[in-house]
Amino acid sequence: MLIHIGFGNIVNTAKIIAIVSPESAPVKRLVQSAREKGLAIDATQGRRTKAVLVMENSQVVLSALLPETIAGRVQAGTDPLEGAPDDGEENR
């Protein structure tokens, strides 16, 4: 299943290992390491990173949506194109 992670970006839920906040030092190191190796996918559209999705293939996806919002979409099984709220509201 696919979920919307903000600004028209969609990821495969079957490949997500973890959805974490980017605030801790270990997560910051993980993101920096992924950037250096070319494994970071920035889906923030220039906004502040609020969630980091760790994927099966060692890639990390950066999102401007809160981890709780993304996790709720995964649990609810929200279709990426139907019923997804306008991302501009949460990111202002």
Side-chain angles (χ1 to χ4, degrees):
M1 186 175 94
L2 302 173
I3 59 160
H4 185 257
I5 60 163
F7 304 105
N9 299 297
I10 299 171
V11 296
N12 184 351
T13 57
K15 302 293 183 183
I16 298 173
I17 293 175
I19 304 170
V20 295
S21 172
E23 303 300 320
S24 70
V27 175
K28 287 180 181 179
R29 285 192 298 270
L30 175 70
V31 171
Q32 185 59 38
S33 174
R35 284 186 196 272
E36 290 169 0
K37 294 176 183 175
L39 296 173
I41 300 170
D42 190 345
T44 62
Q45 300 293 324
R47 308 292 200 297
R48 184 172 157 254
T49 300
K50 294 183 182 177
V52 176
L53 289 77
V54 181
M55 309 301 282
E56 276 185 354
N57 58 0
S58 301
Q59 289 183 319
V60 295
V61 179
L62 310 178
S63 175
L65 297 182
L66 292 171
E68 294 83 8
T69 303
I70 298 170
R73 290 180 183 182
V74 170
Q75 290 175 346
T78 303
D79 184 85
L81 303 176
E82 294 179 21
D86 181 277
D87 295 315
E89 295 298 319
E90 182 178 11
N91 298 312
R92 289 185 188 169

